[in-house]
Amino acid sequence: MSLLVAQDLHKSFGKTHALEGAGLTIRAGEIVAVMGPSGSGKSTLLHCIAGILPPDSGVVRYGDRELTSMSDRERSELRRTDFGFVFQFGQLVPELTCLENVALPLRLSGMKRRAAERAARDWMAKLEVDGVADQRPGETSGGQGQRVAIARALVTEPKVVFADEPTGALDSLNGERVMHLLTSAARETGAAVVLVTHEARVAAYSDREVVVRDGKARDVEFVR
Amino acid sequence: MAIGHALLGLLEGGPRHGYDLKRAYDERFGQHRPLAYGQVYSTLSRLLKNGLVAEAGVEAGDGPERRRYAITDAGVTDVERWLGTPEKPEPYLQNTLYSKVVLALLSGRSATDVLDVQRSAHLGTMRELTRRKADGDLADQLICDFALFHLEADLRWLELTAARLDKLAAEVGK
């Protein structure tokens, strides 16, 4: 079943055309790698379909709702309840402990602290970072920080996780561990993952790939 | 891989008979291509002739007698020399993919399609290897990683070529 559908997206930054008619379909529970050379528009595509960036034209549908016609507030709410995000750097709040970071999305949704931290601890254990619960992000290694960020992205059990070069700052061994844990956890919860990467070994964790070239996305056959 | 050297290396752990050697080889190196019995015995007979192994008695059993083989000093030296000699780096200059891209351009077909089909096939194999790694032990992971890094290198070439197709088309068309 199609969960997220983007059609004919256009997005420009000044005179630079980042997306020129890009389209994409994500089905529930699948892991899709969005690949393409630097500057091809793959991150812009991710930001548009995740409701972070409004496209200049085109439509993004999530289930039976149209993201592109929602207000900023509605989009923020949807991002908080249904989407999870993992980026390459700087996504954790440095002043909070790792546990507080992971619990944050639940706290923002109004969950009581004790319950939020209990759920956060469970996710940190799944991502094998329960040992750094009381440390601040600056005190952890790159690989640990990224796994804390994944725990935070998954703690709300989102329907879609958007991951933009999640292993970009990690060495091969840590990158592999992060990908293994991210994809296993997503499969366990049934979350779809949209994975932007330029690394083939990372893309190999996906079910299929979509290639973005010159602002256009090219769907490659469905595997599942 | 040089089977003779692999068998010699396995014999350094102590004398073995042919069947035992085949089993040890298959377990360590032959996951995809187990040794045929004929290959084991023809290799052992060559090693014997060259003085790299020697017969070390016969094991009696229910079935036929099983001859045991031991590595000789010359065999140990040979293994050492083999381990110390680098494998010749492949130059990879004869490349079917490159030929396909050029021929697509020469004949007015889509070279992008050639590259896309190949990328999809490469990624398909990489997915299988990645799944196998997830279920495998460390030896399995290392074998798969070797293949994955090589396939990834091919994919980087495919991407780079895709980015240079216009230029290549102009040169091919001269």
Side-chain angles (χ1 to χ4, degrees), chain A residues 35 37 172 176 180 200-201 203-209 211 213 218 220-221, chain B residues 112-113 116 119-120 123 126-127 130 133-134 145 148-149 152 155 159 162:
Chain A
M35 304 183 73
S172 296
E176 193 170 285
H180 177 68
R201 273 179 305 111
Y205 284 87
S206 67
D207 299 319
R208 67 182 174 99
E209 72 275 11
V211 180
R213 199 171 285 143
R218 184 170 175 154
V220 179
E221 70 190 277
Chain B
T112 304
D113 285 353
D116 278 350
R119 186 191 35 249
S120 183
L123 267 172
M126 290 181 77
R127 282 193 185 96
T130 302
K133 254 175 75 171
D145 274 336
L148 281 165
F149 279 110
E152 185 182 38
L155 274 164
E159 278 309 321

PDB file of all heavy atoms in Angstrom, chain A residues 35 37 172 176 180 200-201 203-209 211 213 218 220-221, chain B residues 112-113 116 119-120 123 126-127 130 133-134 145 148-149 152 155 159 162:
ATOM      1  N   MET A  35      19.327   7.557  -3.935  1.00  0.00           N
ATOM      2  CA  MET A  35      20.752   7.696  -4.282  1.00  0.00           C
ATOM      3  C   MET A  35      20.929   8.761  -5.358  1.00  0.00           C
ATOM      4  O   MET A  35      19.973   9.183  -5.994  1.00  0.00           O
ATOM      5  CB  MET A  35      21.276   6.367  -4.810  1.00  0.00           C
ATOM      6  CG  MET A  35      21.079   5.212  -3.867  1.00  0.00           C
ATOM      7  SD  MET A  35      21.809   3.709  -4.527  1.00  0.00           S
ATOM      8  CE  MET A  35      23.559   4.066  -4.295  1.00  0.00           C
ATOM      9  N   PRO A  37      24.343  11.504  -7.235  1.00  0.00           N
ATOM     10  CA  PRO A  37      25.565  12.254  -6.947  1.00  0.00           C
ATOM     11  C   PRO A  37      25.284  13.493  -6.103  1.00  0.00           C
ATOM     12  O   PRO A  37      24.128  13.914  -5.967  1.00  0.00           O
ATOM     13  CB  PRO A  37      26.084  12.640  -8.331  1.00  0.00           C
ATOM     14  CG  PRO A  37      24.955  12.435  -9.273  1.00  0.00           C
ATOM     15  CD  PRO A  37      24.004  11.474  -8.649  1.00  0.00           C
ATOM     16  N   SER A 172      33.591   2.718   8.567  1.00  0.00           N
ATOM     17  CA  SER A 172      32.847   1.590   7.987  1.00  0.00           C
ATOM     18  C   SER A 172      32.193   0.716   9.050  1.00  0.00           C
ATOM     19  O   SER A 172      31.025   0.342   8.937  1.00  0.00           O
ATOM     20  CB  SER A 172      33.766   0.704   7.151  1.00  0.00           C
ATOM     21  OG  SER A 172      34.255   1.423   6.074  1.00  0.00           O
ATOM     22  N   GLU A 176      28.204   0.437   9.630  1.00  0.00           N
ATOM     23  CA  GLU A 176      27.526  -0.838   9.420  1.00  0.00           C
ATOM     24  C   GLU A 176      26.624  -1.180  10.609  1.00  0.00           C
ATOM     25  O   GLU A 176      25.488  -1.617  10.451  1.00  0.00           O
ATOM     26  CB  GLU A 176      28.628  -1.883   9.304  1.00  0.00           C
ATOM     27  CG  GLU A 176      28.179  -3.181   8.790  1.00  0.00           C
ATOM     28  CD  GLU A 176      29.392  -4.017   8.489  1.00  0.00           C
ATOM     29  OE1 GLU A 176      30.057  -3.766   7.471  1.00  0.00           O
ATOM     30  OE2 GLU A 176      29.681  -4.890   9.302  1.00  0.00           O
ATOM     31  N   HIS A 180      22.635  -1.602  10.471  1.00  0.00           N
ATOM     32  CA  HIS A 180      22.032  -2.870  10.886  1.00  0.00           C
ATOM     33  C   HIS A 180      20.956  -2.618  11.944  1.00  0.00           C
ATOM     34  O   HIS A 180      19.832  -3.121  11.852  1.00  0.00           O
ATOM     35  CB  HIS A 180      23.119  -3.803  11.423  1.00  0.00           C
ATOM     36  CG  HIS A 180      22.576  -5.092  11.940  1.00  0.00           C
ATOM     37  ND1 HIS A 180      22.007  -6.031  11.114  1.00  0.00           N
ATOM     38  CD2 HIS A 180      22.470  -5.580  13.198  1.00  0.00           C
ATOM     39  CE1 HIS A 180      21.595  -7.057  11.845  1.00  0.00           C
ATOM     40  NE2 HIS A 180      21.852  -6.795  13.115  1.00  0.00           N
ATOM     41  N   ALA A 200      26.925   2.993  -1.670  1.00  0.00           N
ATOM     42  CA  ALA A 200      26.233   1.775  -2.117  1.00  0.00           C
ATOM     43  C   ALA A 200      26.118   0.750  -0.992  1.00  0.00           C
ATOM     44  O   ALA A 200      25.116   0.041  -0.897  1.00  0.00           O
ATOM     45  CB  ALA A 200      26.964   1.164  -3.303  1.00  0.00           C
ATOM     46  N   ARG A 201      27.133   0.670  -0.134  1.00  0.00           N
ATOM     47  CA  ARG A 201      27.070  -0.334   0.934  1.00  0.00           C
ATOM     48  C   ARG A 201      25.964  -0.005   1.929  1.00  0.00           C
ATOM     49  O   ARG A 201      25.411  -0.885   2.573  1.00  0.00           O
ATOM     50  CB  ARG A 201      28.422  -0.465   1.645  1.00  0.00           C
ATOM     51  CG  ARG A 201      29.348  -1.459   0.939  1.00  0.00           C
ATOM     52  CD  ARG A 201      30.685  -1.583   1.607  1.00  0.00           C
ATOM     53  NE  ARG A 201      31.304  -0.288   1.737  1.00  0.00           N
ATOM     54  CZ  ARG A 201      31.488   0.321   2.891  1.00  0.00           C
ATOM     55  NH1 ARG A 201      31.113  -0.240   4.015  1.00  0.00           N
ATOM     56  NH2 ARG A 201      32.052   1.502   2.917  1.00  0.00           N
ATOM     57  N   ALA A 203      23.182   1.743   0.922  1.00  0.00           N
ATOM     58  CA  ALA A 203      21.968   1.507   0.131  1.00  0.00           C
ATOM     59  C   ALA A 203      21.611   0.020   0.086  1.00  0.00           C
ATOM     60  O   ALA A 203      20.455  -0.341  -0.088  1.00  0.00           O
ATOM     61  CB  ALA A 203      22.142   2.045  -1.283  1.00  0.00           C
ATOM     62  N   ALA A 204      22.613  -0.830   0.262  1.00  0.00           N
ATOM     63  CA  ALA A 204      22.374  -2.280   0.189  1.00  0.00           C
ATOM     64  C   ALA A 204      21.512  -2.785   1.352  1.00  0.00           C
ATOM     65  O   ALA A 204      21.067  -3.924   1.329  1.00  0.00           O
ATOM     66  CB  ALA A 204      23.696  -3.034   0.142  1.00  0.00           C
ATOM     67  N   TYR A 205      21.281  -1.966   2.355  1.00  0.00           N
ATOM     68  CA  TYR A 205      20.374  -2.346   3.437  1.00  0.00           C
ATOM     69  C   TYR A 205      18.913  -2.091   3.056  1.00  0.00           C
ATOM     70  O   TYR A 205      18.006  -2.410   3.808  1.00  0.00           O
ATOM     71  CB  TYR A 205      20.694  -1.562   4.717  1.00  0.00           C
ATOM     72  CG  TYR A 205      21.929  -2.076   5.428  1.00  0.00           C
ATOM     73  CD1 TYR A 205      23.190  -1.621   5.090  1.00  0.00           C
ATOM     74  CD2 TYR A 205      21.825  -3.037   6.431  1.00  0.00           C
ATOM     75  CE1 TYR A 205      24.319  -2.091   5.728  1.00  0.00           C
ATOM     76  CE2 TYR A 205      22.944  -3.521   7.080  1.00  0.00           C
ATOM     77  CZ  TYR A 205      24.196  -3.045   6.723  1.00  0.00           C
ATOM     78  OH  TYR A 205      25.307  -3.538   7.358  1.00  0.00           O
ATOM     79  N   SER A 206      18.687  -1.478   1.891  1.00  0.00           N
ATOM     80  CA  SER A 206      17.328  -1.110   1.499  1.00  0.00           C
ATOM     81  C   SER A 206      16.653  -2.257   0.743  1.00  0.00           C
ATOM     82  O   SER A 206      17.296  -3.242   0.371  1.00  0.00           O
ATOM     83  CB  SER A 206      17.372   0.125   0.594  1.00  0.00           C
ATOM     84  OG  SER A 206      17.987  -0.218  -0.627  1.00  0.00           O
ATOM     85  N   ASP A 207      15.337  -2.094   0.484  1.00  0.00           N
ATOM     86  CA  ASP A 207      14.620  -3.063  -0.345  1.00  0.00           C
ATOM     87  C   ASP A 207      14.728  -2.679  -1.818  1.00  0.00           C
ATOM     88  O   ASP A 207      14.631  -3.523  -2.695  1.00  0.00           O
ATOM     89  CB  ASP A 207      13.141  -3.097   0.039  1.00  0.00           C
ATOM     90  CG  ASP A 207      12.951  -3.521   1.484  1.00  0.00           C
ATOM     91  OD1 ASP A 207      13.657  -4.446   1.903  1.00  0.00           O
ATOM     92  OD2 ASP A 207      12.123  -2.914   2.187  1.00  0.00           O
ATOM     93  N   ARG A 208      14.843  -1.399  -2.084  1.00  0.00           N
ATOM     94  CA  ARG A 208      14.990  -0.932  -3.467  1.00  0.00           C
ATOM     95  C   ARG A 208      15.574   0.469  -3.443  1.00  0.00           C
ATOM     96  O   ARG A 208      15.631   1.118  -2.383  1.00  0.00           O
ATOM     97  CB  ARG A 208      13.651  -0.940  -4.207  1.00  0.00           C
ATOM     98  CG  ARG A 208      12.679   0.072  -3.665  1.00  0.00           C
ATOM     99  CD  ARG A 208      11.333   0.009  -4.381  1.00  0.00           C
ATOM    100  NE  ARG A 208      10.395   0.889  -3.739  1.00  0.00           N
ATOM    101  CZ  ARG A 208      10.097   2.110  -4.174  1.00  0.00           C
ATOM    102  NH1 ARG A 208      10.667   2.594  -5.247  1.00  0.00           N
ATOM    103  NH2 ARG A 208       9.238   2.854  -3.516  1.00  0.00           N
ATOM    104  N   GLU A 209      15.994   0.919  -4.625  1.00  0.00           N
ATOM    105  CA  GLU A 209      16.595   2.234  -4.674  1.00  0.00           C
ATOM    106  C   GLU A 209      15.870   3.143  -5.659  1.00  0.00           C
ATOM    107  O   GLU A 209      15.239   2.657  -6.613  1.00  0.00           O
ATOM    108  CB  GLU A 209      18.086   2.165  -5.040  1.00  0.00           C
ATOM    109  CG  GLU A 209      18.399   1.798  -6.479  1.00  0.00           C
ATOM    110  CD  GLU A 209      18.418   0.300  -6.735  1.00  0.00           C
ATOM    111  OE1 GLU A 209      17.995  -0.470  -5.855  1.00  0.00           O
ATOM    112  OE2 GLU A 209      18.841  -0.083  -7.835  1.00  0.00           O
ATOM    113  N   VAL A 211      16.851   6.599  -7.876  1.00  0.00           N
ATOM    114  CA  VAL A 211      18.026   7.395  -8.229  1.00  0.00           C
ATOM    115  C   VAL A 211      17.590   8.809  -8.603  1.00  0.00           C
ATOM    116  O   VAL A 211      16.678   8.971  -9.417  1.00  0.00           O
ATOM    117  CB  VAL A 211      18.785   6.747  -9.408  1.00  0.00           C
ATOM    118  CG1 VAL A 211      20.010   7.571  -9.769  1.00  0.00           C
ATOM    119  CG2 VAL A 211      19.184   5.337  -9.044  1.00  0.00           C
ATOM    120  N   ARG A 213      18.688  12.204 -10.336  1.00  0.00           N
ATOM    121  CA  ARG A 213      19.716  12.757 -11.212  1.00  0.00           C
ATOM    122  C   ARG A 213      19.161  14.036 -11.818  1.00  0.00           C
ATOM    123  O   ARG A 213      18.046  14.035 -12.331  1.00  0.00           O
ATOM    124  CB  ARG A 213      20.085  11.743 -12.291  1.00  0.00           C
ATOM    125  CG  ARG A 213      21.405  12.033 -12.932  1.00  0.00           C
ATOM    126  CD  ARG A 213      21.829  10.904 -13.834  1.00  0.00           C
ATOM    127  NE  ARG A 213      22.305   9.747 -13.105  1.00  0.00           N
ATOM    128  CZ  ARG A 213      22.078   8.497 -13.473  1.00  0.00           C
ATOM    129  NH1 ARG A 213      21.351   8.226 -14.515  1.00  0.00           N
ATOM    130  NH2 ARG A 213      22.567   7.502 -12.771  1.00  0.00           N
ATOM    131  N   ARG A 218      14.280   8.700 -10.368  1.00  0.00           N
ATOM    132  CA  ARG A 218      13.982   7.577 -11.251  1.00  0.00           C
ATOM    133  C   ARG A 218      13.780   6.347 -10.373  1.00  0.00           C
ATOM    134  O   ARG A 218      14.680   5.906  -9.678  1.00  0.00           O
ATOM    135  CB  ARG A 218      15.173   7.386 -12.187  1.00  0.00           C
ATOM    136  CG  ARG A 218      14.920   6.327 -13.198  1.00  0.00           C
ATOM    137  CD  ARG A 218      16.025   6.338 -14.240  1.00  0.00           C
ATOM    138  NE  ARG A 218      15.811   5.240 -15.137  1.00  0.00           N
ATOM    139  CZ  ARG A 218      16.227   5.222 -16.377  1.00  0.00           C
ATOM    140  NH1 ARG A 218      16.875   6.239 -16.886  1.00  0.00           N
ATOM    141  NH2 ARG A 218      16.013   4.177 -17.131  1.00  0.00           N
ATOM    142  N   VAL A 220      13.410   2.617  -9.381  1.00  0.00           N
ATOM    143  CA  VAL A 220      13.888   1.326  -9.855  1.00  0.00           C
ATOM    144  C   VAL A 220      12.950   0.274  -9.256  1.00  0.00           C
ATOM    145  O   VAL A 220      12.436   0.457  -8.159  1.00  0.00           O
ATOM    146  CB  VAL A 220      15.350   1.117  -9.431  1.00  0.00           C
ATOM    147  CG1 VAL A 220      15.862  -0.231  -9.898  1.00  0.00           C
ATOM    148  CG2 VAL A 220      16.206   2.228  -9.997  1.00  0.00           C
ATOM    149  N   GLU A 221      12.711  -0.784  -9.984  1.00  0.00           N
ATOM    150  CA  GLU A 221      11.686  -1.787  -9.673  1.00  0.00           C
ATOM    151  C   GLU A 221      11.471  -2.060  -8.177  1.00  0.00           C
ATOM    152  O   GLU A 221      12.409  -2.012  -7.393  1.00  0.00           O
ATOM    153  CB  GLU A 221      12.063  -3.113 -10.331  1.00  0.00           C
ATOM    154  CG  GLU A 221      13.267  -3.726  -9.651  1.00  0.00           C
ATOM    155  CD  GLU A 221      13.810  -4.899 -10.423  1.00  0.00           C
ATOM    156  OE1 GLU A 221      13.283  -5.989 -10.268  1.00  0.00           O
ATOM    157  OE2 GLU A 221      14.766  -4.694 -11.156  1.00  0.00           O
TER     158      GLU A 221
ATOM    159  N   THR B 112      22.669   5.638 -20.498  1.00  0.00           N
ATOM    160  CA  THR B 112      22.144   5.787 -19.128  1.00  0.00           C
ATOM    161  C   THR B 112      21.405   4.514 -18.720  1.00  0.00           C
ATOM    162  O   THR B 112      21.541   4.043 -17.591  1.00  0.00           O
ATOM    163  CB  THR B 112      21.172   6.989 -19.062  1.00  0.00           C
ATOM    164  OG1 THR B 112      21.871   8.134 -19.518  1.00  0.00           O
ATOM    165  CG2 THR B 112      20.680   7.236 -17.646  1.00  0.00           C
ATOM    166  N   ASP B 113      20.640   3.956 -19.674  1.00  0.00           N
ATOM    167  CA  ASP B 113      19.918   2.716 -19.364  1.00  0.00           C
ATOM    168  C   ASP B 113      20.893   1.579 -19.066  1.00  0.00           C
ATOM    169  O   ASP B 113      20.672   0.787 -18.147  1.00  0.00           O
ATOM    170  CB  ASP B 113      19.014   2.307 -20.540  1.00  0.00           C
ATOM    171  CG  ASP B 113      17.770   3.177 -20.609  1.00  0.00           C
ATOM    172  OD1 ASP B 113      17.563   3.984 -19.673  1.00  0.00           O
ATOM    173  OD2 ASP B 113      17.018   3.069 -21.602  1.00  0.00           O
ATOM    174  N   ASP B 116      22.107   2.185 -15.602  1.00  0.00           N
ATOM    175  CA  ASP B 116      21.060   1.975 -14.594  1.00  0.00           C
ATOM    176  C   ASP B 116      20.767   0.497 -14.371  1.00  0.00           C
ATOM    177  O   ASP B 116      20.603   0.049 -13.238  1.00  0.00           O
ATOM    178  CB  ASP B 116      19.763   2.696 -15.007  1.00  0.00           C
ATOM    179  CG  ASP B 116      19.807   4.176 -14.644  1.00  0.00           C
ATOM    180  OD1 ASP B 116      20.740   4.576 -13.916  1.00  0.00           O
ATOM    181  OD2 ASP B 116      18.928   4.923 -15.088  1.00  0.00           O
ATOM    182  N   ARG B 119      23.628  -0.900 -12.402  1.00  0.00           N
ATOM    183  CA  ARG B 119      23.616  -0.479 -10.997  1.00  0.00           C
ATOM    184  C   ARG B 119      22.585  -1.288 -10.223  1.00  0.00           C
ATOM    185  O   ARG B 119      22.832  -1.739  -9.107  1.00  0.00           O
ATOM    186  CB  ARG B 119      23.310   1.004 -10.858  1.00  0.00           C
ATOM    187  CG  ARG B 119      23.445   1.437  -9.387  1.00  0.00           C
ATOM    188  CD  ARG B 119      22.927   2.796  -9.061  1.00  0.00           C
ATOM    189  NE  ARG B 119      21.790   3.100  -9.839  1.00  0.00           N
ATOM    190  CZ  ARG B 119      21.761   4.014 -10.798  1.00  0.00           C
ATOM    191  NH1 ARG B 119      22.821   4.736 -11.036  1.00  0.00           N
ATOM    192  NH2 ARG B 119      20.683   4.214 -11.492  1.00  0.00           N
ATOM    193  N   SER B 120      21.425  -1.481 -10.829  1.00  0.00           N
ATOM    194  CA  SER B 120      20.368  -2.231 -10.169  1.00  0.00           C
ATOM    195  C   SER B 120      20.820  -3.669  -9.891  1.00  0.00           C
ATOM    196  O   SER B 120      20.591  -4.217  -8.809  1.00  0.00           O
ATOM    197  CB  SER B 120      19.129  -2.198 -11.059  1.00  0.00           C
ATOM    198  OG  SER B 120      18.087  -2.845 -10.444  1.00  0.00           O
ATOM    199  N   LEU B 123      23.425  -3.619  -7.083  1.00  0.00           N
ATOM    200  CA  LEU B 123      22.817  -3.398  -5.769  1.00  0.00           C
ATOM    201  C   LEU B 123      22.030  -4.627  -5.313  1.00  0.00           C
ATOM    202  O   LEU B 123      21.997  -4.935  -4.123  1.00  0.00           O
ATOM    203  CB  LEU B 123      21.905  -2.176  -5.806  1.00  0.00           C
ATOM    204  CG  LEU B 123      22.611  -0.882  -5.378  1.00  0.00           C
ATOM    205  CD1 LEU B 123      21.718   0.319  -5.628  1.00  0.00           C
ATOM    206  CD2 LEU B 123      23.020  -0.917  -3.909  1.00  0.00           C
ATOM    207  N   MET B 126      24.514  -6.836  -3.877  1.00  0.00           N
ATOM    208  CA  MET B 126      24.974  -6.272  -2.597  1.00  0.00           C
ATOM    209  C   MET B 126      23.938  -6.482  -1.488  1.00  0.00           C
ATOM    210  O   MET B 126      24.294  -6.704  -0.334  1.00  0.00           O
ATOM    211  CB  MET B 126      25.299  -4.783  -2.762  1.00  0.00           C
ATOM    212  CG  MET B 126      26.554  -4.553  -3.600  1.00  0.00           C
ATOM    213  SD  MET B 126      26.984  -2.815  -3.775  1.00  0.00           S
ATOM    214  CE  MET B 126      27.713  -2.458  -2.171  1.00  0.00           C
ATOM    215  N   ARG B 127      22.673  -6.432  -1.849  1.00  0.00           N
ATOM    216  CA  ARG B 127      21.617  -6.670  -0.840  1.00  0.00           C
ATOM    217  C   ARG B 127      21.690  -8.113  -0.337  1.00  0.00           C
ATOM    218  O   ARG B 127      21.590  -8.373   0.849  1.00  0.00           O
ATOM    219  CB  ARG B 127      20.234  -6.448  -1.450  1.00  0.00           C
ATOM    220  CG  ARG B 127      19.891  -5.022  -1.569  1.00  0.00           C
ATOM    221  CD  ARG B 127      18.407  -4.816  -1.874  1.00  0.00           C
ATOM    222  NE  ARG B 127      18.209  -3.415  -2.083  1.00  0.00           N
ATOM    223  CZ  ARG B 127      18.196  -2.825  -3.275  1.00  0.00           C
ATOM    224  NH1 ARG B 127      18.301  -3.537  -4.360  1.00  0.00           N
ATOM    225  NH2 ARG B 127      18.065  -1.529  -3.364  1.00  0.00           N
ATOM    226  N   THR B 130      24.573  -8.436   1.942  1.00  0.00           N
ATOM    227  CA  THR B 130      24.321  -7.730   3.209  1.00  0.00           C
ATOM    228  C   THR B 130      23.420  -8.573   4.106  1.00  0.00           C
ATOM    229  O   THR B 130      23.638  -8.667   5.314  1.00  0.00           O
ATOM    230  CB  THR B 130      23.680  -6.355   2.928  1.00  0.00           C
ATOM    231  OG1 THR B 130      24.568  -5.626   2.079  1.00  0.00           O
ATOM    232  CG2 THR B 130      23.447  -5.570   4.195  1.00  0.00           C
ATOM    233  N   LYS B 133      25.466 -11.430   5.446  1.00  0.00           N
ATOM    234  CA  LYS B 133      26.336 -10.952   6.526  1.00  0.00           C
ATOM    235  C   LYS B 133      25.604 -10.895   7.854  1.00  0.00           C
ATOM    236  O   LYS B 133      26.149 -11.245   8.888  1.00  0.00           O
ATOM    237  CB  LYS B 133      26.791  -9.525   6.189  1.00  0.00           C
ATOM    238  CG  LYS B 133      28.202  -9.425   5.750  1.00  0.00           C
ATOM    239  CD  LYS B 133      28.512  -8.015   5.337  1.00  0.00           C
ATOM    240  CE  LYS B 133      28.672  -7.093   6.503  1.00  0.00           C
ATOM    241  NZ  LYS B 133      29.181  -5.765   6.092  1.00  0.00           N
ATOM    242  N   ALA B 134      24.345 -10.438   7.798  1.00  0.00           N
ATOM    243  CA  ALA B 134      23.567 -10.264   9.025  1.00  0.00           C
ATOM    244  C   ALA B 134      23.358 -11.606   9.731  1.00  0.00           C
ATOM    245  O   ALA B 134      23.299 -11.667  10.949  1.00  0.00           O
ATOM    246  CB  ALA B 134      22.224  -9.625   8.707  1.00  0.00           C
ATOM    247  N   ASP B 145      32.223  -8.893   2.998  1.00  0.00           N
ATOM    248  CA  ASP B 145      32.750  -7.520   2.930  1.00  0.00           C
ATOM    249  C   ASP B 145      33.713  -7.351   1.755  1.00  0.00           C
ATOM    250  O   ASP B 145      33.707  -6.325   1.085  1.00  0.00           O
ATOM    251  CB  ASP B 145      33.493  -7.159   4.234  1.00  0.00           C
ATOM    252  CG  ASP B 145      32.518  -6.631   5.274  1.00  0.00           C
ATOM    253  OD1 ASP B 145      31.447  -6.122   4.895  1.00  0.00           O
ATOM    254  OD2 ASP B 145      32.829  -6.742   6.472  1.00  0.00           O
ATOM    255  N   LEU B 148      31.588  -6.987  -1.153  1.00  0.00           N
ATOM    256  CA  LEU B 148      30.824  -5.730  -1.106  1.00  0.00           C
ATOM    257  C   LEU B 148      31.687  -4.526  -1.474  1.00  0.00           C
ATOM    258  O   LEU B 148      31.252  -3.638  -2.215  1.00  0.00           O
ATOM    259  CB  LEU B 148      30.227  -5.530   0.296  1.00  0.00           C
ATOM    260  CG  LEU B 148      28.968  -6.343   0.587  1.00  0.00           C
ATOM    261  CD1 LEU B 148      28.661  -6.379   2.078  1.00  0.00           C
ATOM    262  CD2 LEU B 148      27.774  -5.771  -0.176  1.00  0.00           C
ATOM    263  N   PHE B 149      32.922  -4.503  -0.964  1.00  0.00           N
ATOM    264  CA  PHE B 149      33.796  -3.359  -1.282  1.00  0.00           C
ATOM    265  C   PHE B 149      34.137  -3.334  -2.778  1.00  0.00           C
ATOM    266  O   PHE B 149      34.228  -2.271  -3.379  1.00  0.00           O
ATOM    267  CB  PHE B 149      35.079  -3.394  -0.441  1.00  0.00           C
ATOM    268  CG  PHE B 149      34.883  -2.839   0.941  1.00  0.00           C
ATOM    269  CD1 PHE B 149      34.920  -3.658   2.055  1.00  0.00           C
ATOM    270  CD2 PHE B 149      34.651  -1.483   1.141  1.00  0.00           C
ATOM    271  CE1 PHE B 149      34.721  -3.147   3.338  1.00  0.00           C
ATOM    272  CE2 PHE B 149      34.456  -0.960   2.413  1.00  0.00           C
ATOM    273  CZ  PHE B 149      34.493  -1.802   3.507  1.00  0.00           C
ATOM    274  N   GLU B 152      31.094  -2.176  -4.630  1.00  0.00           N
ATOM    275  CA  GLU B 152      30.914  -0.744  -4.397  1.00  0.00           C
ATOM    276  C   GLU B 152      31.841   0.076  -5.308  1.00  0.00           C
ATOM    277  O   GLU B 152      31.447   1.118  -5.844  1.00  0.00           O
ATOM    278  CB  GLU B 152      31.208  -0.404  -2.933  1.00  0.00           C
ATOM    279  CG  GLU B 152      30.909   1.050  -2.620  1.00  0.00           C
ATOM    280  CD  GLU B 152      31.242   1.417  -1.187  1.00  0.00           C
ATOM    281  OE1 GLU B 152      32.261   0.914  -0.656  1.00  0.00           O
ATOM    282  OE2 GLU B 152      30.483   2.199  -0.606  1.00  0.00           O
ATOM    283  N   LEU B 155      30.277   0.308  -8.580  1.00  0.00           N
ATOM    284  CA  LEU B 155      29.162   1.265  -8.562  1.00  0.00           C
ATOM    285  C   LEU B 155      29.644   2.705  -8.614  1.00  0.00           C
ATOM    286  O   LEU B 155      29.019   3.568  -9.230  1.00  0.00           O
ATOM    287  CB  LEU B 155      28.311   1.040  -7.319  1.00  0.00           C
ATOM    288  CG  LEU B 155      27.249  -0.023  -7.518  1.00  0.00           C
ATOM    289  CD1 LEU B 155      26.682  -0.496  -6.204  1.00  0.00           C
ATOM    290  CD2 LEU B 155      26.116   0.531  -8.375  1.00  0.00           C
ATOM    291  N   GLU B 159      28.595   5.499 -11.389  1.00  0.00           N
ATOM    292  CA  GLU B 159      28.113   6.855 -11.095  1.00  0.00           C
ATOM    293  C   GLU B 159      28.957   7.908 -11.806  1.00  0.00           C
ATOM    294  O   GLU B 159      28.458   8.858 -12.376  1.00  0.00           O
ATOM    295  CB  GLU B 159      28.147   7.124  -9.582  1.00  0.00           C
ATOM    296  CG  GLU B 159      26.955   6.591  -8.826  1.00  0.00           C
ATOM    297  CD  GLU B 159      25.615   7.006  -9.422  1.00  0.00           C
ATOM    298  OE1 GLU B 159      25.485   8.163  -9.877  1.00  0.00           O
ATOM    299  OE2 GLU B 159      24.713   6.160  -9.460  1.00  0.00           O
ATOM    300  N   ALA B 162      28.234   7.882 -15.403  1.00  0.00           N
ATOM    301  CA  ALA B 162      26.934   8.512 -15.672  1.00  0.00           C
ATOM    302  C   ALA B 162      27.092  10.031 -15.702  1.00  0.00           C
ATOM    303  O   ALA B 162      26.492  10.722 -16.537  1.00  0.00           O
ATOM    304  CB  ALA B 162      25.923   8.102 -14.604  1.00  0.00           C
TER     305      ALA B 162
END
